[in-house]
Amino acid sequence: MANDVIVCKNIKKSYETARGVVDVVKEFSLDVHQNEFLVLFGPGQCGKSTLMKVMSGLEAPTEGSVTLNGKKVTGPGPDRGFVYQRTSLFPWLTVMGNVEFGPKARGIGKKERREKAQYYIDLVGLTGFENSYPNQLSGGMQQRVGIARAYCNEPSVLFLDEPFGHLDAQTRYLMQEDIIKIWEKEKRTIIFVTNNIEEAIYLADRIVVLHSCPTSIKTE
């Protein structure tokens, strides 16, 4: 379809191990639509994170193909953003430094990238923390920085791999509300991985339920 951003066709992912070949993903085909909030839901260790790596280009499929905006995915690219369960912020950079990192790496001038970064810092509710370092922030605030940094690079697709899994229950609920508000204001295609059914139901436009490893689509 014309509004499909990501198209996965017959994805299979296997790894060579000491015990032989292990299949992690098999017979996976999926179309992800523009600006939808798609949740990949499945039990722990079912292959969700591996599937996300293949869809994003961080790993190549053993078989099958992934296209993004009509082009075959052969590796990572700036049109894809990531937020992980454990924040991967640069500890030596401030909040501003982390959020503006992508535009800076692309050569965008200081004034423009600072304005862009400030917009997203404000959007995630961190106004006033621009000069703080990651170790001065709570876990929820660090994830907000990660979300702002991903958005600031203006990707076509955001991949969120259980981003709230390590947070306490109250902070997790607040972050779920925040990510919906941010998504409603700044539409992006989001692919969100979770094994929490309440989280999946609350966040998703569409839920894809996965089988246990080797993973494939159970229902959607």
Side-chain angles (χ1 to χ4, degrees):
M1 293 176 60
N3 67 337
D4 289 338
V5 176
I6 291 182
V7 177
C8 302
K9 291 186 177 180
N10 302 318
I11 295 298
K12 178 180 179 181
K13 182 63 179 179
S14 305
Y15 294 99
E16 292 278 356
T17 72
R19 296 179 288 111
V21 177
V22 175
D23 294 332
V24 180
V25 180
K26 67 171 185 177
E27 299 174 1
F28 183 87
S29 295
L30 180 69
D31 297 342
V32 184
H33 313 313
Q34 186 174 12
N35 294 336
E36 81 168 326
F37 201 124
L38 177 76
V39 170
L40 299 177
F41 173 78
Q45 307 301 314
C46 77
K48 300 186 298 297
S49 294
T50 297
L51 181 57
M52 181 173 279
K53 290 175 183 176
V54 172
M55 292 175 71
S56 66
L58 290 176
E59 293 192 15
T62 305
E63 296 179 10
S65 65
V66 181
T67 60
L68 173 62
N69 293 322
K71 297 181 180 179
K72 186 175 181 179
V73 173
T74 58
D79 51 358
R80 281 146 277 166
F82 299 86
V83 181
Y84 299 100
Q85 183 175 125
R86 296 292 177 181
T87 56
S88 54
L89 303 178
F90 300 119
W92 61 89
L93 294 180
T94 62
V95 169
M96 177 61 76
N98 270 281
V99 175
E100 71 170 357
F101 182 82
K104 183 178 181 180
R106 300 201 316 273
I108 294 177
K110 184 175 181 179
K111 184 177 185 294
E112 181 181 350
R113 71 174 186 259
R114 282 285 166 93
E115 289 176 352
K116 187 186 299 287
Q118 188 66 57
Y119 171 78
Y120 288 110
I121 289 170
D122 295 343
L123 185 64
V124 300
L126 289 178
T127 308
F129 291 91
E130 293 83 355
N131 296 318
S132 298
Y133 288 88
N135 65 359
Q136 298 172 315
L137 306 176
S138 67
M141 293 169 76
Q142 290 180 24
Q143 285 295 47
R144 286 186 174 91
V145 178
I147 292 167
R149 182 174 68 178
Y151 262 98
C152 196
N153 223 21
E154 298 187 335
S156 295
V157 184
L158 274 175
F159 293 87
L160 291 89
D161 190 0
E162 299 192 59
F164 312 143
H166 73 290
L167 302 176
D168 63 83
Q170 183 177 7
T171 304
R172 184 171 189 154
Y173 291 139
L174 290 172
M175 289 301 300
Q176 289 169 6
E177 291 177 1
D178 286 346
I179 194 68
I180 286 293
K181 290 176 183 176
I182 294 165
W183 174 71
E184 287 175 344
K185 187 167 184 179
E186 283 286 320
K187 288 286 189 178
R188 291 285 189 280
T189 302
I190 290 182
I191 300 175
F192 189 105
V193 163
T194 185
N195 59 12
N196 183 300
I197 185 62
E198 292 180 353
E199 186 168 69
I201 292 170
Y202 181 72
L203 293 176
D205 278 343
R206 179 164 56 121
I207 300 174
V208 174
V209 181
L210 302 174
H211 283 287
S212 297
C213 191
T215 199
S216 59
I217 295 177
K218 187 174 185 178
T219 187
E220 60 175 294

